[in-house]
Amino acid sequence: MSLPEKKNCLKLREFTFRLLSLIVFLTFFCVQASPVSGAMNGTIAGEESPLIVDFFSDHDLSDATVRFEQPLENVSLVFTLSSGKEILKSETFQLGSVDRGQEITKVLFWGLEEDFKKDKESYTAQLSVKDGSKTLESRKLSFSYRNQYLSTLKIVDFSADSEKASVLITLMSSANLGFVQMPEPSVVDLDLKLLSGTDIIYSESLENVPVTDAYYKAMTWPFLLEKDRDYTALLKVHSHSPDITTAYTSKFKAEEKVELLDTDIDVDEYGASVTIVGKSQVPFDGIIRVVLTPEEGDVQVFEETADILTAGQEDTVGIIWQGVPRGDYNVKIYVLNLEGEVMDSHETVLRVFEPVAEINPSEESPAFGFQAALGILLCFAVFSGRKRRGKKEV
């Protein structure tokens, strides 16, 4: 009886050992798996929350870009500007529903008076992304009225009009112990936005732009603008070293603009040839008017309709005058839109030696026109034949 009992005892110990080994293995597996599970949960939670991709602010404006990694139904962006404990401005943009992966950029102009800005030493701008009353993410940015400036670069000019926005950047020399050091090359990022009110209707970015001496860039608007509408161009310049971002704005009212090409204007006793070029993304629609003013006698006016032009397009208009008497004339050429506004003008002089006969189409009969054309052809044929015979005789 002792042997069977001993065998049972050994089996019980073996079972207990295997059970304990299994428990230890499971415990070890769970401990190892816990960090992985936590990392995944963190990743998912991070992906589901909105991400503030970019947030910039100074005492004039704030610019923010937010990307959403999951669809939401009641989203809003809250911009707040404060100085100390005093809230100077707060504005909310109601976005409503957003899709997964959607990026939204908003620009807010604080609209503070210039004198009021100078009274404050420091500011704090805050952006809050909300879903209903719940704050999903927020970011703060502190700055002073005297913002940091680009120590190695100088923005010589930034301007915008109905055709384009342009910027001119140069390097700045630094003085050290009475010696002027040569400016060091710099690298910048340019971020251009065109706004109508607070709506961004166009954006363009240039990254890693080298500035070795003077850098000029013109960016033409690739679409038509609405006449008499106010627009604002916003340019953010980010210097890589030092890491500083500054913003510049240029406001303009969209309007028609066209120019006469002075080097492509031809006026003689038979007429005028005028070339105009569009200089705006507001389409130009109008006429070319030529006014002949003699020393004595009546002023004569000739007009011709021009093609509809936008920026970069050209049109050459020909005007033929007839019945202009012999004499000297002061010639004025005008480009006018449909409202009669003068877009551009050019002035020159003209001497007519032999007046061009005036043809009245109403008095010209079809038979006479055919006979005249036939006569011209016959004269041309006779003249050509004589010229050929003359060459053979030689």
Side-chain angles (χ1 to χ4, degrees):
M1 296 296 296
S2 61
L3 289 175
E5 289 178 358
K6 189 175 182 179
K7 289 181 179 179
N8 291 334
C9 183
L10 290 174
K11 289 182 179 180
L12 180 60
R13 287 179 182 178
E14 186 180 356
F15 174 78
T16 304
F17 176 79
R18 290 181 178 180
L19 180 61
L20 290 174
S21 299
L22 180 60
I23 293 174
V24 171
F25 175 77
L26 291 176
T27 302
F28 177 80
F29 177 80
C30 291
V31 170
Q32 294 296 323
S34 293
V36 177
S37 177
M40 292 178 62
N41 290 335
T43 302
I44 293 173
E47 289 180 351
E48 290 180 351
S49 63
L51 175 64
I52 298 177
V53 178
D54 182 48
F55 181 46
F56 169 83
S57 185
D58 60 14
H59 47 72
D60 290 322
L61 59 92
S62 186
D63 177 22
T65 300
V66 180
R67 182 173 66 243
F68 296 89
E69 299 300 339
Q70 71 168 355
L72 299 170
E73 296 296 331
N74 189 20
V75 178
S76 61
L77 302 181
V78 181
F79 290 82
T80 304
L81 179 67
S82 60
S83 179
K85 296 182 179 180
E86 181 184 4
I87 298 179
L88 306 177
K89 184 74 175 288
S90 180
E91 186 160 339
T92 301
F93 291 92
Q94 298 289 347
L95 305 182
S97 60
V98 295
D99 299 326
R100 178 183 177 87
Q102 183 176 356
E103 276 195 5
I104 294 179
T105 301
K106 287 295 181 181
V107 176
L108 170 66
F109 294 93
W110 296 121
L112 303 180
E113 296 180 1
E114 192 67 25
D115 294 338
F116 183 76
K117 298 175 190 176
K118 296 179 180 179
D119 294 337
K120 306 296 179 181
E121 292 296 329
S122 62
Y123 298 88
T124 299
Q126 179 173 345
L127 171 65
S128 298
V129 185
K130 293 188 174 184
D131 184 16
S133 59
K134 178 183 177 182
T135 300
L136 302 177
E137 187 175 349
S138 64
R139 185 178 297 183
K140 290 184 178 181
L141 181 63
S142 298
F143 55 92
S144 63
Y145 175 76
R146 297 179 179 179
N147 280 335
Q148 292 178 306
Y149 65 95
L150 301 174
S151 57
T152 60
L153 298 170
K154 181 179 180 181
I155 309 301
V156 179
D157 177 66
F158 172 63
S159 59
D161 56 25
S162 303
E163 179 185 12
K164 63 184 183 301
S166 59
V167 59
L168 176 61
I169 306 175
T170 60
L171 296 174
M172 293 183 63
S173 300
S174 58
N176 185 14
L177 299 177
F179 297 95
V180 177
Q181 296 180 344
M182 293 298 293
E184 297 182 359
S186 185
V187 178
V188 298
D189 300 328
L190 303 179
D191 180 17
L192 174 69
K193 294 183 178 69
L194 180 64
L195 297 93
S196 176
T198 58
D199 296 328
I200 301 172
I201 59 177
Y202 178 71
S203 62
E204 181 176 348
S205 298
L206 298 174
E207 296 182 351
N208 302 320
V209 177
V211 181
T212 56
D213 184 14
Y215 175 79
Y216 174 79
K217 178 66 176 179
M219 293 162 276
T220 303
W221 312 125
F223 51 84
L224 299 181
L225 302 180
E226 184 177 339
K227 185 178 180 181
D228 294 332
R229 169 164 287 191
D230 293 324
Y231 294 91
T232 301
L234 166 63
L235 178 69
K236 289 196 303 181
V237 181
H238 173 231
S239 171
H240 287 202
S241 178
D243 186 7
I244 298 175
T245 301
T246 56
Y248 307 87
T249 58
S250 178
K251 298 181 179 181
F252 65 93
K253 176 176 287 187
E255 57 187 4
E256 295 172 279
K257 187 177 180 181
V258 68
E259 291 183 359
L260 286 163
L261 294 182
D262 293 340
T263 57
D264 203 1
I265 295 177
D266 186 22
V267 178
D268 57 26
E269 56 189 315
Y270 300 100
S273 174
V274 180
T275 299
I276 56 176
V277 57
K279 291 290 184 178
S280 170
Q281 285 300 78
V282 177
F284 164 77
D285 190 6
I287 62 172
I288 304 296
R289 177 180 295 169
V290 181
V291 180
L292 302 183
T293 305
E295 295 179 350
E296 296 180 357
D298 298 332
V299 174
Q300 300 197 46
V301 179
F302 302 87
E303 291 184 352
E304 189 67 41
T305 302
D307 287 343
I308 297 177
L309 300 177
T310 56
Q313 295 180 332
E314 293 185 5
D315 179 33
T316 299
V317 177
I319 296 176
I320 298 176
W321 42 68
Q322 296 171 345
V324 176
R326 180 198 305 267
D328 297 336
Y329 294 85
N330 181 45
V331 182
K332 289 186 177 181
I333 302 172
Y334 300 96
V335 184
L336 301 96
N337 62 11
L338 295 181
E339 287 75 28
E341 299 174 310
V342 177
M343 302 285 99
D344 199 5
S345 63
H346 179 82
E347 189 171 358
T348 184
V349 292
L350 168 66
R351 173 168 290 173
V352 177
F353 293 97
E354 293 295 334
V356 179
E358 184 174 3
I359 299 176
N360 190 347
S362 60
E363 296 179 358
E364 182 182 353
S365 64
F368 175 78
F370 175 76
Q371 292 173 359
L374 182 60
I376 292 173
L377 291 175
L378 290 174
C379 290
F380 178 75
V382 171
F383 176 76
S384 299
R386 288 180 177 177
K387 188 174 182 180
R388 288 172 184 166
R389 285 197 297 273
K391 287 183 178 180
K392 289 181 180 179
E393 291 174 358
V394 174

